[in-house]
Amino acid sequence: MSKKLYIETLGCAMNTRDSEHMIAELHDKEDYDVTPNIDEADLILINTCSVREKPVSKLFSEIGVFNKKKKEGAKIGVCGCTASHLGDEVFKRAPEVNFVLGARNVSKITQAVRKDKFISTDIDYDESAYAFSEFRNNPYKAFINISIGCDKKCTYCIVPHTRGEEISIPADLIVNEARKAAQNGAKEIFLLGQNVNNYGRRFSMSTHEKMDFSDLLNRVSEVEGVERIRFTSPHPLHMDDKFLETFVNNPKVCKSMHMPLQSGSTSLLEKMKRGYTKEWFLNRALKLRALCPDVSISTDIIVGFPGESEADFQDTLDVMEQVKFEQIFSFKYSPRPLTKAAEFTDQVESEVASKRLQILQDKQEKILDEISKTRLNKEYMVYFEELRSNGMLAGKSDNNALVQIKGKEEWLGKTMRIKITNPKRLSLYGEVVF
Ligand code: 5AD
Ligand code: SF4
């Protein structure tokens, strides 16, 4: 009988993909199968995120709970970004943990489980060309890494300290993975990296052919069976005209763009070391809207960054007003160890930041109400990828709106024309146009 693996995944899509890689390696090489029941697991993995403080502080209480629930002899492994940044401090605070495996050390998972105690958190480790075993949570949509690490030095961000410097994965490996995924039925490819449109700046093999992210998008779009391509995250700084034009003109590239703004104030952007101004961001977003009227634009915004004045915050609201984002992920600034901003002496009071977050979210609700009204009776091509427990079939339009219909299971994995009959803020409800 196979051994059992219980895995919890926090954080971003990169972490989700890392978990898929660990599940696959453990299945193929160590005979583990995933279980949803912690009490029958032989191995418990927590794949952590450290981008904000909260999940990190919860980690140790969670380890305590898992330790009580686990069966005799079961191992506990802490992986991911918090493993990278805390290193052997994890053992000191939680001696019951058997191994600590950093975010860039995923390929060592099989070594880790064979030892009583193991640690590997080297952020210079290069696994960009490692041939991982295959496993995908969702057979309709294939996540594919195109780079590891991040070369930016955003002053609020811990990621360069947990995932190390940026290395692009050779295009041939990416295209092969897309081909395999498409042969197995995935019509949608989701390309992943911390900074995808910086692709091609550094490969681990210096002989690799020169290419940028636009070239990569075009190559992946030529793979037979691939119908849709999405990606995350691009950086507004690298949204040059070539990139915008490739995005708009390649029909397989889905028309939804994530443009992480962080702040609308040029002086705060400089303090964050984002490399662009309010004007540049607006220029790119509005150009994109002009080139592609159907595009949906999502963003990340931080409120309460050190030194954020009322005027800075108004700049953020102004960008929201001008761009009218279809989706915003908004966060209260959280000081992180190892980052420059944690040392800034002009931290914003927590209540002020909370109030701003509320104002921003209220404003976004109003914007979304306006946007969703315009969607009544519109028709979208929707790729159905999930049958929900309430019996609704869920999928995404080309421009990333969540669409739900009362449908049949055999429509999973199909792209269908849907007319929207009931648009809500977070989901559009509709029916098939035959
Ligand atoms: N505090 C709050 N939010 C942060 N993010 C990154 N670092 C921090 C931090 N220290 C947000 C950014 C990023 C998203 C993934 O998380 O908006 O784009
Ligand atoms: Fe969290 Fe960032 Fe690591 Fe993703 S890369 S898991 S968001 S800290």
Side-chain angles (χ1 to χ4, degrees):
M1 213 173 73
S2 67
K3 290 171 273 183
K4 298 283 180 240
L5 162 67
Y6 177 89
I7 183 163
E8 180 182 85
T9 307
L10 305 166
C12 62
M14 254 73 59
N15 252 24
T16 305
R17 185 64 186 138
D18 288 346
S19 284
E20 288 181 343
H21 279 148
M22 289 192 281
I23 291 168
E25 289 287 293
L26 289 171
H27 178 268
D28 288 9
K29 297 176 185 162
E30 298 293 325
D31 197 24
Y32 279 92
D33 281 320
V34 173
T35 173
N37 306 319
I38 198 156
D39 50 358
E40 66 166 11
D42 300 284
L43 173 62
I44 296 166
L45 288 183
I46 312 174
N47 197 5
T48 57
C49 172
S50 56
V51 77
R52 281 169 291 275
E53 167 63 25
K54 230 186 200 160
V56 178
S57 45
K58 267 170 52 188
L59 173 67
F60 291 97
S61 55
E62 189 162 50
I63 293 172
V65 172
F66 287 175
N67 192 42
K68 283 207 189 98
K69 282 190 184 163
K70 79 181 174 78
K71 72 178 190 191
E72 180 85 31
K75 286 185 171 177
I76 300 180
V78 173
C79 317
C81 288
T82 304
S84 301
H85 106 256
L86 291 183
D88 62 5
E89 204 190 311
V90 175
F91 290 140
K92 287 189 196 128
R93 288 173 66 179
E96 60 272 43
V97 169
N98 295 88
F99 61 87
V100 176
L101 198 63
R104 258 174 106 121
N105 296 254
V106 174
S107 58
K108 296 184 188 161
I109 183 69
T110 48
Q111 285 178 51
V113 294
R114 286 184 212 135
K115 304 263 169 57
D116 281 336
K117 281 272 174 193
F118 182 88
I119 180 162
S120 183
T121 55
D122 181 0
I123 61 164
D124 296 324
Y125 188 62
D126 180 3
E127 50 183 10
S128 64
Y130 183 84
F132 283 101
S133 301
E134 263 310 320
F135 167 76
R136 297 191 184 282
N137 280 315
N138 183 334
Y140 307 108
K141 173 162 70 185
F143 288 103
I144 299 181
N145 290 341
I146 69 163
S147 58
I148 59 176
C150 180
D151 272 354
K152 296 283 178 226
K153 299 270 177 295
C154 302
T155 53
Y156 52 80
C157 187
I158 196 170
V159 176
H161 307 280
T162 65
R163 289 187 177 262
E165 73 173 10
E166 191 173 314
I167 302 177
S168 299
I169 293 173
D172 289 342
L173 294 184
I174 296 166
V175 169
N176 275 341
E177 221 184 314
R179 197 173 289 131
K180 246 193 289 167
Q183 281 164 0
N184 288 328
K187 292 177 186 150
E188 184 169 308
I189 301 294
F190 210 124
L191 303 175
L192 297 178
Q194 291 300 332
N195 189 356
V196 287
N197 52 341
N198 200 30
Y199 180 82
R201 265 194 45 195
R202 186 192 302 117
F203 293 96
S204 50
M205 287 161 286
S206 53
T207 51
H208 192 273
E209 67 175 303
K210 266 214 114 29
M211 69 186 306
D212 63 16
F213 186 58
S214 301
D215 303 328
L216 181 70
L217 283 175
N218 288 334
R219 272 199 66 189
V220 173
S221 74
E222 286 159 11
V223 172
E224 205 184 311
V226 171
E227 291 178 9
R228 290 184 161 199
I229 303 170
R230 297 187 193 276
F231 52 84
T232 203
S233 274
H235 194 298
L237 175 65
H238 303 296
M239 294 194 173
D240 56 18
D241 285 347
K242 178 181 176 190
F243 169 63
L244 291 189
E245 279 154 22
T246 307
F247 173 85
V248 172
N249 294 330
N250 189 318
K252 290 193 181 172
V253 175
C254 288
K255 300 306 177 249
S256 90
M257 183 78 89
H258 189 58
M259 291 184 70
L261 169 66
Q262 311 303 358
S263 166
S265 151
T266 296
S267 62
L268 272 202
L269 287 168
E270 203 172 305
K271 231 172 136 186
M272 290 175 165
K273 288 223 174 339
R274 291 290 288 167
Y276 54 86
T277 59
K278 176 185 183 186
E279 287 69 33
W280 168 259
F281 186 94
L282 282 171
N283 172 290
R284 295 292 90 186
L286 299 178
K287 176 160 185 168
L288 185 58
R289 290 251 190 249
L291 287 172
C292 186
D294 281 339
V295 74
S296 78
I297 305 180
S298 56
T299 196
D300 292 345
I301 296 177
I302 298 175
V303 296
F305 183 77
E308 186 185 60
S309 66
E310 193 48 39
D312 292 322
F313 179 57
Q314 289 302 325
D315 271 328
T316 299
L317 297 181
D318 182 45
V319 175
M320 284 173 65
E321 189 61 43
Q322 294 199 53
V323 177
K324 299 221 182 331
F325 297 105
E326 277 78 3
Q327 194 175 18
I328 297 185
F329 301 93
S330 50
F331 312 101
K332 201 167 132 177
Y333 169 71
S334 159
R336 308 303 299 123
L338 310 172
T339 63
K340 273 231 165 74
E343 289 161 22
F344 293 165
T345 50
D346 47 359
Q347 304 287 325
V348 170
E349 274 179 43
S350 176
E351 299 87 82
V352 173
S354 298
K355 263 195 203 133
R356 288 182 183 159
L357 189 65
Q358 194 57 54
I359 292 169
L360 184 152
Q361 290 175 345
D362 289 347
K363 184 177 179 66
Q364 180 60 9
E365 285 202 353
K366 292 206 180 85
I367 291 175
L368 279 185
D369 282 340
E370 276 171 42
I371 293 174
S372 66
K373 267 188 233 149
T374 66
R375 292 181 157 171
L376 182 67
N377 291 328
K378 276 221 168 123
E379 291 183 8
Y380 293 106
M381 297 307 289
V382 179
Y383 177 53
F384 287 104
E385 52 183 75
E386 188 193 349
L387 182 62
R388 299 203 157 175
S389 49
N390 60 2
M392 297 297 277
L393 211 52
K396 291 287 180 79
S397 67
D398 176 279
N399 64 358
N400 209 31
L402 174 65
V403 178
Q404 299 190 62
I405 62 166
K406 283 206 179 88
K408 303 179 190 159
E409 194 168 353
E410 63 256 34
W411 294 348
L412 272 174
K414 294 211 161 56
T415 306
M416 308 180 84
R417 181 176 291 279
I418 304 298
K419 183 171 172 169
I420 303 307
T421 51
N422 184 13
K424 296 275 185 218
R425 223 181 262 150
L426 300 178
S427 180
L428 308 176
Y429 295 85
E431 49 198 41
V432 183
V433 181
F434 287 103

